[in-house]
Amino acid sequence: MPHETPLLSTIVVGIVLAFAFGAVAHRLKASPLVGYLLAGIVIGPFTPGFVADRNIANELSEIGIILLMFGVGLQFSMHELLSVRAIAVPGALVQIVVATALGVSLAKLLGWTLGAGLVFGVALSVASTVVVLRTLQERRLLDTERGRIAVGWLVVEDLAMVLVLVFLPALAEFTNSAAGVSPSVILVPLAITLGKFAAFVALMWFVGRRVIPWLLHYVAHTGSRELFRLAVLAISLGVAYGAAMLFDVSFALGAFFAGMILSESALSQRAAQETLPLRDAFAVLFFVSVGMLFDPSVILSHPLSLLATLLIVIVAKSALAYALVRLFRHSESTALMIAASRAQIGEFSFILAGLGVGLGLLPPLGRDLILAAALISILLTPFLFAGADWIYAHHEPPKKAPAEAAPAPAPPETPTREPVPVTHLTNHVVLVGYGRVGRVAAAALKDAGVPLLVFETDEDIIESLRKQNTETISGNAADPALARAANYPAARCLLVAIPDGFEGGQVVEQARALNATLRIIARAHSEEEIAHLLRHGASKVIMGEHLIADAMVENVQLAVSPASFAPSAAPPATASTDAATAEPAPPT
Ligand code: AMP
C-alpha cells in the first residue's frame, strides 16, 4: 500500500480494523479491547501485510490520553484529590519501590546491569492510565470512593514517572561513566522539574482558574454549540500541550489539571459530554498502537522471562496493592478493585522502555518483554475485574470472632481514635448517607418529628448538619466501632441511602448483628446489589430504576384513558424487594 498519506491511512485502517475486530470480540462476548489490540497486531510491523506508521499511531493515542484525563479532571475537585492522598501517595510510592525491586531482581537473574534492572523495574511498576480510566468509566466507578483512590493513585504515579524520565539520562551518565558523577547531575534536574511542576500548578490555580471558566462561559453565551465544543477541545488539548512544552509536565497531568479547574464550573457536565465521541475514538487508537508494538516471537524465544515479567505485573503488583489498601483499613471490595486496576502496564512503560534502550541502559530484550507483558496484561484486564467481582460476590467475608475483628472495614481517616459515645436517641431512625437520596428522606422525617441520626463520611456535610442541630456520626457506617454508637437495639429503623449496594451490605451486616429485628431499608442499583443486601439482612431493598419505571407507567396511564390500561394488561414494575415476600435474585 502506498505510504504517501501515512497519517490518513493510520487513522482509517486503525479505526476500521478496530471496529471490525471489536465487533467480533463483542459478538464472542469478550471485551472489545481485545479486538482493538488484535487490530493493532494485524497492522503492526511483525505481521505481514499493511504496516501502519507506529510513531503516528503513538501520537494519535496521546490525544486519547489527553481527552481521557481531561474528562476525569472534570469530575474531580482538588478537594476530592486531596481527600485520597492518605492512601494514594504511600500506596503508589510503595508499589513503585517494591515492583522496581522485583524488576531489578529479575534483571539480575537475566544477567543485566543494575541500570537496566532499574529501568525495567520502574516500567513494570506503573499502571496504564488509559486502561484504568476506561475500565472505571465502563463500570461507573469514577464517582465512588474506590474510583477516587484509583485516580489519585494514577496521578501520583504519573508525577513520579515524570520525575523518572528526567532522572533517566542522569542515571545513564552515572552508570556509563566509570568514575561516577556528582550528585548534582541527578539532583539539579530533579529540582528543576519539581519547580516547573509547582510553577504549572500555581499558574493553573491563580490564572487558569479564573480565565478558563470565564472563557467557557463566554462561549456558552454565544449560543453556538460548535464554538463551545471547539472551546472545550482547545482548552483540553491546549493546556496539555502547553504544560508539556513549557513546564515539562506530561500531557496527561496537564489535561487532568485543566479538567480539574473546570470541575467547579456549572458547565463542566456539558464540557465532558462534548469531548466524549472524540475521546472514545482516540482511546481506541491507543489500544491499536499498543497492539502494533507487540512482537509475538518473544513468546517463543523467551517464554520463562516473559512469564516472570507477567508474574510481577499481574500477581505481585495486585497482591501488593490489595495488602496496602487493606492495611489502610479500606473495605474488601475497594481492595479487590484497586488490586485489579494495578495489574497491567501501559503508556509510561513504553516511553521508559524506548528511552532506556535509546540511552543504552536497557537491552532490546527488556523492551520486548515490557511490550509483550503490556499487551498480555491489558488483554487480561477485563477478566481480572470480573474475577475481582466474582471473588467478592462468592467469597462472603467470614464472620469474625470479636477478638479478631481488627481488619474490619473502616475509613482510613480515623484509624486510631477516641471511642464514639453511644447516642442517647431512642425510637430513632438511623440514616446512612446524606446525599441525593438521604437528604430528601431526612427532610421528610424531620417534618414528621421523627428523631434522626445521620451517618456521613463527608466532613463538609457533617459540619452543615451539625449547624442544623441534626445528630450525626462522622465516618463509615460499616465500621463496627461506629455502628455501636448508633444504638441500633433501641432504633426504630435503618435507612441505608448510599449509592454502593455492596458497601451498603457491610452497613446492613453490622446493624443486623446488633439488632436481629430492626427494620432495615436499603438502596440498590442492580439485581446483584439487591441480592447482596438481602443476604446481609436487609428487610427491604429499593431500586431507584424500578421506581422511575413505575412512575413512568403511572404517568402513561394518567395521560391516556385509564380504561385502556387495565391493571391486568401488564405486571407493574417491581419498585422494591421485600425480604419477607421475595426470593433474592440468584447471585451471578
Ligand atoms: P448520593 O450518591 O448523592 O446519594 O450520596 C451518598 C452520600 O453517602 C454521600 O454524601 C457520601 O459521603 C455518603 N456515604 C457514602 N458511603 C458512606 C458510608 N459507608 N457511611 C456513611 N456515609 C456514606
Side-chain angles (χ1 to χ4, degrees):
M1 180 175 282
H3 264 218
E4 308 86 54
T5 54
L7 174 65
L8 191 66
S9 42
T10 304
I11 295 180
V12 173
V13 180
I15 287 186
V16 169
L17 279 191
F19 163 66
F21 283 90
V24 173
H26 184 77
R27 179 113 190 95
L28 298 175
K29 300 217 177 333
S31 163
L33 255 179
V34 178
Y36 308 153
L37 290 168
L38 274 178
I41 297 177
V42 169
I43 61 171
F46 303 104
T47 47
F50 170 75
V51 176
D53 190 312
R54 211 147 72 167
N55 292 332
I56 289 179
N58 281 345
E59 277 192 41
L60 291 172
S61 69
E62 282 287 358
I63 300 182
I65 297 173
I66 291 175
L67 295 179
L68 261 169
M69 278 304 257
F70 178 70
V72 173
L74 279 176
Q75 297 179 19
F76 232 75
S77 66
M78 191 57 128
H79 175 73
E80 282 171 327
L81 185 63
L82 291 176
S83 74
V84 294
R85 69 183 182 284
I87 175 154
V89 175
L93 295 183
V94 169
Q95 182 157 59
I96 290 174
V97 170
V98 175
T100 305
L102 290 172
V104 169
S105 317
L106 178 58
K108 271 246 162 313
L109 284 178
L110 293 169
W112 299 347
T113 62
L114 177 65
L118 283 173
V119 178
F120 188 63
V122 175
L124 299 188
S125 71
V126 277
S128 161
T129 310
V130 181
V131 176
V132 176
L133 293 185
R134 273 277 316 245
T135 320
L136 291 178
Q137 270 161 354
E138 249 169 38
R139 305 171 74 88
R140 294 171 47 211
L141 284 171
L142 270 176
D143 275 340
T144 63
E145 194 207 14
R146 295 172 260 177
R148 283 196 283 273
I149 294 174
V151 173
W153 198 304
L154 276 179
V155 169
V156 177
E157 258 181 18
D158 246 17
L159 192 55
M161 287 309 118
V162 171
L163 293 178
V164 169
L165 290 179
V166 176
F167 172 74
L168 220 53
L171 178 74
E173 206 173 309
F174 182 76
T175 51
N176 293 343
S177 72
V181 288
S182 75
S184 63
V185 171
I186 293 169
L187 294 180
V188 171
L190 276 187
I192 293 176
T193 308
L194 281 176
K196 282 183 177 171
F197 178 69
F200 169 70
V201 174
L203 184 73
M204 291 302 274
W205 192 250
F206 294 110
V207 183
R209 216 156 61 112
R210 289 181 177 83
V211 175
I212 295 180
W214 172 83
L215 184 72
L216 212 57
H217 278 91
Y218 171 79
V219 178
H221 282 107
T222 62
S224 163
R225 211 179 156 165
E226 191 176 291
L227 262 188
F228 183 81
R229 195 172 290 160
L230 212 53
V232 176
L233 280 179
I235 291 168
S236 52
L237 297 175
V239 172
Y241 189 76
M245 292 304 130
L246 301 176
F247 298 96
D248 287 338
V249 174
S250 71
F251 287 129
L253 270 186
F256 178 74
F257 276 93
M260 209 162 64
I261 56 172
L262 265 180
S263 68
E264 279 145 38
S265 152
L267 290 166
S268 63
Q269 264 316 92
R270 214 180 127 194
Q273 289 295 328
E274 295 299 347
T275 51
L276 273 182
L278 262 187
R279 187 195 75 190
D280 288 349
F282 282 101
V284 165
L285 287 178
F286 166 80
F287 292 105
V288 174
S289 76
V290 174
M292 286 178 66
L293 296 169
F294 179 60
D295 177 3
S297 69
V298 74
I299 297 179
L300 298 175
S301 59
H302 295 86
L304 287 181
S305 312
L306 181 58
L307 188 67
T309 311
L310 281 171
L311 282 178
I312 295 177
V313 173
I314 298 174
V315 181
K317 270 191 356 168
S318 46
L320 181 67
Y322 177 86
L324 282 169
V325 177
R326 288 300 274 163
L327 199 71
F328 278 84
R329 312 192 77 208
H330 281 272
S331 66
E332 173 88 4
S333 58
T334 302
L336 283 168
M337 200 285 285
I338 301 284
S341 75
R342 300 286 99 204
Q344 85 310 113
I345 52 176
E347 52 280 13
F348 262 117
S349 318
F350 309 147
I351 299 173
L352 275 171
L355 194 63
V357 173
L359 290 168
L361 276 171
L362 186 71
L365 173 62
R367 182 192 51 204
D368 292 344
L369 288 176
I370 288 171
L371 296 179
L375 184 111
I376 295 170
S377 61
I378 291 176
L379 268 179
L380 292 177
T381 297
F383 302 103
L384 289 174
F385 270 92
D389 281 350
W390 189 88
I391 294 177
Y392 188 65
H394 289 257
H395 213 80
E396 293 295 291
K399 298 263 178 289
K400 298 172 195 83
E404 46 155 324
E413 303 85 28
T414 51
T416 51
R417 56 176 178 237
E418 298 281 302
V420 179
V422 177
T423 177
H424 293 299
L425 292 178
T426 52
N427 203 21
H428 55 300
V429 170
V430 180
L431 172 67
V432 177
Y434 193 80
R436 291 159 298 176
V437 174
R439 65 184 68 222
V440 179
L445 291 168
K446 273 190 208 162
D447 283 350
V450 177
L452 181 68
L453 172 68
V454 177
F455 270 103
E456 242 304 332
T457 45
D458 187 312
E459 281 305 325
D460 293 340
I461 299 179
I462 287 280
E463 207 181 302
S464 81
L465 279 170
R466 286 187 179 151
K467 279 191 191 135
Q468 301 163 30
N469 289 327
T470 304
E471 194 165 328
T472 54
I473 297 179
S474 167
N476 188 342
D479 179 350
L482 293 184
R484 276 190 288 280
N487 196 11
Y488 283 123
R492 172 196 308 220
C493 181
L494 163 65
L495 304 181
V496 184
I498 57 176
D500 184 333
F502 292 108
E503 192 170 338
Q506 293 168 352
V507 177
V508 172
E509 189 179 11
Q510 296 301 329
R512 185 52 79 219
L514 294 167
N515 183 345
T517 55
L518 180 68
R519 181 143 181 82
I520 302 180
I521 304 173
R523 164 184 176 190
H525 289 285
S526 66
E527 299 297 339
E528 288 79 16
E529 286 184 352
I530 293 179
H532 184 81
L533 285 158
L534 290 175
R535 232 179 7 242
H536 281 74
S539 325
K540 191 178 189 91
V541 182
I542 300 180
M543 181 161 149
E545 285 77 358
H546 287 171
L547 281 180
I548 297 172
D550 277 357
M552 284 178 162
V553 172
E554 214 168 85
N555 276 287
V556 171
Q557 287 173 335
L558 286 176
V560 190
S561 153
S564 62
F565 280 89
S568 58
T574 324
S576 63
T577 309
D578 209 304
T581 56
E583 273 293 298
T588 46

